[in-house]
Amino acid sequence: QPPDGGPAPTEGLVVVSNREPYSHSYDGDEITVERPVGGLTAGLDPVMQRASGTWVAWGDGEADREVVDEDDRVRVPPEDPSYTLRRIWLDDDEVEEYYYGYSNQVLWPLCHSDRGRITYEPRFWKRYRDVNRRFAEAASEEADSGSLIWFQDYHFGLAPEMVRRDRGEEVTLAHFWHIPWPTWDDFRVCPQSEQLLEGLLANDLLGFHVDRFCAQFLEGVDACFDDAVIDWDAGVVHRGDTPTLVESFPMGVDADRIQRLADSGEAEAFWDSFRDERGIDADAIVAVGVDRLDYTKGIPERLRAIEYFLDSYPEFRGEFVYVQKASESRSEIPAYREIQREVAETAERVNDRFGTDEWKPVVNVTEMLPATALYSLYRHADLALVSSVRDGMNLVAEEYVASQLENEGALVLSDFAGVDDTLGDYAYTINPYATEEFAETIHQTITDSPTERRNRMRQMRQLVAAYDLDAWMDDIFETVAELRAESADSG
Ligand code: G6P
């Protein structure tokens, strides 16, 4: 067991992700390092430090190239170098076609079951394959015999098979798919559905957040390949040389850290000055929404429910404030510019309709918030609105719960977010499209007794603390260890 009680490091670990854990930029002539602030990169970083493995990622920082050696490697973290970051440089065409193209205009909408937003071009696919090959070759080079290579997400649907061809059974391959897996009827619209399934079936372990995505993946494999033998109870696909275990691991957050930061003096100071600056009364009912500006997050649906709520319950005008922190994302893509426009227009409409000189129902936060500020906002918000129309997991919901030190807030949560499988019994569950019920639920969270809200929040906090980010990784690494032991026995 490592000294600080985190997940046990895995010998020779190689992580492959599109985003890099450290990025370098210029501050005048000086090079500064930006560190992971949250999510997977922040959580994996200490594991990598203990495992002293290698992380392969797209080098996207403006000064990234300045700090690498001739093999494109840099040791990180800078103050205590303990693992290797291997950068892959992408040129403009690669970024356009692999990242904005196939990853985010084909696979992203496809896996979120949004056929209408798929833009397919043959050049996207070719480039996706080529970039997957570049990452696969780098991962292969970094891996020793016996290494675990752990792929992250939909950017690398083909790389596992490429590595397997090169290294055979001497490496263990695991993949975590962080976004939903759709039904076969949705997935088969993809012109490369078969190649992608084959690419993923080269893994020893394939993880999703929830059981439903595992089942939909297995059903797709069953429908696509006549020669696949599926052990439905065990979740194992037998096809070719490598059996693939398909299992759910609902991801968690670093609950201890979030709680600590939410409880800091800095967090308290932020809240006071934030309320002051935005003219939010001390006794206002504050709802919070934090998202990347993505069409899967149900932001216009949320704003429509708020509008309906203020229409139906005029007594809350002047009292209820919705703080929206929506960060711009993937703006090269027309569908993202469109959602940005729609969100801005809808928020403006709500403010124009109900706002007064003293009060605005929707407060937009456009600046970057440091982690402490964000957790302070979560701690003090009376409710959080998570209204995804489709979401792999949604860790905002868990971060909100982890920050609720007083257990007084309420989580309004879409049935269509993966995290509803974890928290749905105690959250106030909604269908984001059902505007009247959504508005009713907002009203219910406010009018329910404090005891009811506290009971629900206590239960959720226990769940979030018990299955945190470390537990998630532990679970995955233990499963890999079991698979290795089994294959050693049978070999
Ligand atoms: C989702 C994906 C991640 C991705 C993140 C941010 O959570 O599952 O893989 O990194 O969105 O999107 P971006 O395109 O900016 O990396």
Side-chain angles (χ1 to χ4, degrees), residues 98 102 107 124-137 151 153-165 173 175 177 192-203:
Y98 144 80
Y102 204 78
L107 288 176
F124 291 172
W125 163 249
K126 292 196 180 82
R127 195 72 72 176
Y128 182 80
R129 208 182 43 206
D130 293 348
V131 172
N132 265 252
R133 182 157 296 119
R134 296 190 54 200
F135 275 85
E137 278 166 6
F151 298 98
D153 233 344
Y154 58 103
H155 312 88
F156 304 112
L158 299 175
E161 194 191 10
M162 295 164 172
V163 174
R164 185 66 79 197
R165 285 218 170 138
L173 304 182
H175 203 134
W177 196 265
Q192 290 81 27
S193 51
E194 195 175 323
Q195 288 101 307
L196 288 162
L197 288 174
E198 265 174 345
L200 291 172
L201 287 175
N203 285 298

Side-chain angles (χ1 to χ4, degrees), residues 401 407 423 426 454-464:
V401 169
N407 295 312
L423 301 179
Y426 306 105
R454 222 172 276 137
N455 286 343
R456 287 175 181 246
M457 188 52 80
R458 265 203 206 106
Q459 303 278 5
M460 290 194 286
R461 281 189 68 205
Q462 278 174 15
L463 291 168
V464 168

